[in-house]
Amino acid sequence: MFICIFDENKTFVMANQRVQAYFDVLHRTPKPIEFNGKLSEVFGENVFHSEIMREYLPSEAYKSMMKATGSGERLDRKMADQVASAMKDWAITKNATHYTHWFQPLTGTTAEKHDAFYKPVGPGKAIERFDGELLVQQEPDASSFPNGGIRNTFEARGYTAWDPSSPAFVIDKTLCIPTIFIAYTGEALDYKMPLLKALHAIDEAATGVCKYFDKNVNKVQATLGWEQEYFLVDKAWFNARPDLMMTGRTLFGHASAKGQQLDDHYFGSISERVTAFMRDFELESIRLGIPVTTRHNEVAPNQFECAPIFEECNLANDHNLLLMDLLEKIARKHDFRILLHEKPFAGINGSGKHNNWSLSTNTGVNLLAPGKNPKSNLQFLTFLVNTIKAIDVHADLLRAAIAGAGNDHRLGANEAPPAIISTFIGSQLTELLNKIEKNVKAGKMTPEDKTELKLNIGKIPQILLDNTDRNRTSPFAFTGNKFEFRAVGSTANCSSAMIVLNTIMAKQLQDFKVSVDARIKKGDGKDEAILKELQKLIKESKKIRFEGNGYGEEWVKEAKSRGLSNLMDTPRALQAWDGKGVADLFNDMGVLSPVELKARQEIEFENYIYKIQIEARVIGDMVQNFIVPAAVAYQNKLIQNVQGLMDVLGAKSGKVASNAQVQIIAEISEHINGMKEISDKMLVARKKANKIQGHENKAIAYCDKVKVHFDEIRYHVDKLELLIDDEEWRMPKFREMLFTR
Ligand code: ADP
Ligand code: MG
């Protein structure tokens, strides 16, 4: 029971944050949206897509624009002016008053700076203006964005430059233009620019390899289909928890008696309030051309997932960022807060963002889908085996790409893939690769050998999905017609993973082509050369393939014996950027220069330090200001009670009657002392860490010397939560945050 306090006007006044929150949550009602039309009719209505361009642009400008979106050809100034003017005219029909370059600085979120279309031209007179110059390039005051040492403050200029391959859109009466963000000296300060470069690299390398099979292929696109997981909590709970507000996750909280053990949330019916929220953000997403189709309850209570149909990688990534932004905004409208953090609540599942990835050609072929005949299947196998090989050689880079303070709680915690990178391909393909490994003979193959192998290859069933999708514990699983990178964190900009994946794949395909060409030059037939090279790659990359349970202890041991890395924390994972040949790899593939690469690593280390630092501070504050006062208040009540019993019953029998109370009093003291002792230790460790020069060493100190105390402190706090009178406890409990709707 809670005691509600009313003032003289009979209005509710603050009792404590938790009681107040309870009161608020109980009075929430669903806020359904008014929309009864067809989604297909509103799809993309807020996007300046090609059909709109055709309508708004003169035909010459339209053609130039199509070229710019397709092959990245530059628009000249006159065309840019025409496009800008058309964009503005269209945006105004959508009630836009402002425009912004929309970019992806290395903070992890998106950034925008709005400017109005209108321009005063005389007293009381103004016009609407937007020209090519404003469209193509801008100079935001960018000195406060992370740059990893690339920019000195005296040269703090940064530029945003239009990415015509991702269409402009209108949101909140503002025309948003997707852009890259670069330093005055040309280095990338964002995620988009290296992503575009990696996509260009994979296009070239994959097209080169496709030519072995089909001369008509002249473009290969990487495709990305992400699946976004998130939690919802009522805003009242959120605001009553400083840890949620400051860090996006709960730093304390005893598990509720019921968590996810009954599996009754997964795919369960979605509550009315949550449905209203989902319909709202989906409608906005669909209007913005984000093809969201799937929604369901996830495993943990109040955890959900949203997934669109896959798209070209750059566009898909923009859409994911836009969606994360929409989730945040629309959740507020429904009195929820969205938790995108990888691990908002201990003891129940955290959130990830599966990155489904494949490659598709201009001829409409998915290169990771088994084909209809031996020829197309040889192509499929070529791309499959080269992917496996790329993962094998560069596993540590993929691990580094998904590193972050939040994801450290997930990887290897028996709910998400382990920190060990491996790949799963299913039993049928494993069998096939084993056959190729054994049956391709050295030297010239006889026609019979070739036929037999080709027959084998031809036998791959087109639908492998059932067979391959069973293992949910693999970080990088083949799922029938794509790979699914499951270790990506829910807050991540998918670009991090996609830059690495597409770059290492491009490099691998390049090397593959060189080797196959050399074999052909030496006299092998084309198929024979390809098969022999595949055989070699299959043998070399065997250790990265793992079909068993990725969550088991056994795998940790086996992986170690195979020589695979198991990088359990962010600072260690980030060291991979210093690995041998890594700077050359990114430089040679034209994706990131050594300076850019180093800057990124610095930013990641720094980011890690700040995140842990903030968490440590919040822990300190909450212990002092929430936990100790509650514990002492309850302890005082008990002390009074004990004293009362002694008075009433007399010293001796009073003592007997108050045994249990005295025990609780002592336990509370023990936990207060324990908490205080460790908090003090943590404070000393923080002060020491802060003095360390260099981000890498500092990040390691924060990981090994500061973060290690988090769970020790939490242990005492969570025990106190169980001991102390519910009424004294001011922080919303897990059962409340997770089960009230
Ligand atoms: P789940 O992992 O929840 O079982 P799926 O494995 O079916 O779901 O994943 C579906 C996701 O994979 C969707 O986002 C879908 O768009 C994406 N996807 C399907 N084909 C491809 C492809 N060729 N390239 C990239 N993504 C794809
Ligand atoms: Mg999936």
Side-chain angles (χ1 to χ4, degrees), residues 64-65 67-69 71-77 79-80 136-137 161-162 164:
S64 314
M65 189 56 203
K67 270 196 195 147
T69 51
S71 56
E73 220 168 272
R74 275 179 75 101
L75 279 187
D76 67 28
R77 177 63 203 264
M79 292 301 147
V136 172
Q137 188 172 312
W162 181 33

Side-chain angles (χ1 to χ4, degrees), residues 81-254:
D81 278 340
Q82 291 188 5
V83 174
S85 162
M87 243 185 219
K88 179 202 70 193
D89 291 347
W90 167 79
I92 287 171
T93 69
K94 298 283 162 195
N95 299 321
T97 56
H98 287 64
Y99 65 91
T100 179
H101 276 196
W102 183 78
F103 58 106
Q104 304 169 23
L106 295 163
T107 50
T109 49
T110 53
E112 44 198 89
K113 175 186 144 227
H114 299 191
D115 283 299
F117 284 128
Y118 90 95
K119 186 184 170 203
V121 287
K125 254 181 114 179
I127 53 161
E128 305 287 320
R129 191 184 73 113
F130 185 58
D131 62 21
E133 199 179 319
L134 297 172
L135 165 66
V136 172
Q137 188 172 312
Q138 274 190 22
E139 190 189 330
D141 177 12
S143 49
S144 300
F145 290 111
N147 64 72
I150 285 178
R151 274 173 321 166
N152 298 316
T153 32
F154 65 84
E155 198 43 280
R157 276 183 291 174
Y159 289 102
T160 51
W162 181 33
D163 166 21
S165 67
S166 182
F169 53 91
V170 169
I171 186 170
D172 296 336
K173 302 193 172 173
T174 302
L175 170 69
C176 298
I177 299 148
T179 54
I180 57 168
F181 179 42
I182 51 174
Y184 177 65
T185 39
E187 286 92 358
L189 296 172
D190 72 346
Y191 287 101
K192 195 187 246 292
M193 175 138 141
L195 178 65
L196 289 172
K197 289 177 166 178
L199 294 173
H200 178 70
I202 189 76
D203 175 13
E204 290 216 318
T207 302
V209 170
C210 282
K211 297 267 191 218
Y212 288 134
F213 307 95
D214 181 358
K215 293 271 181 261
N216 295 318
V217 173
N218 54 36
K219 185 159 182 68
V220 173
Q221 275 188 340
T223 50
L224 166 65
W226 42 263
E227 303 164 53
Q228 179 74 51
E229 291 179 340
Y230 60 90
F231 279 83
L232 283 175
V233 291
D234 191 278
K235 76 168 182 197
W237 299 134
F238 180 91
N239 290 329
R241 297 267 327 200
D243 47 0
L244 277 183
M245 284 174 76
M246 297 289 118
T247 72
R249 75 175 179 111
T250 52
L251 297 165
F252 307 120
H254 199 282

Side-chain angles (χ1 to χ4, degrees), residues 642-659:
V642 170
Q643 268 168 350
L645 283 173
M646 302 275 244
D647 288 350
V648 173
L649 301 173
K652 213 163 173 199
S653 37
K655 206 171 182 179
V656 177
S658 64
N659 261 349

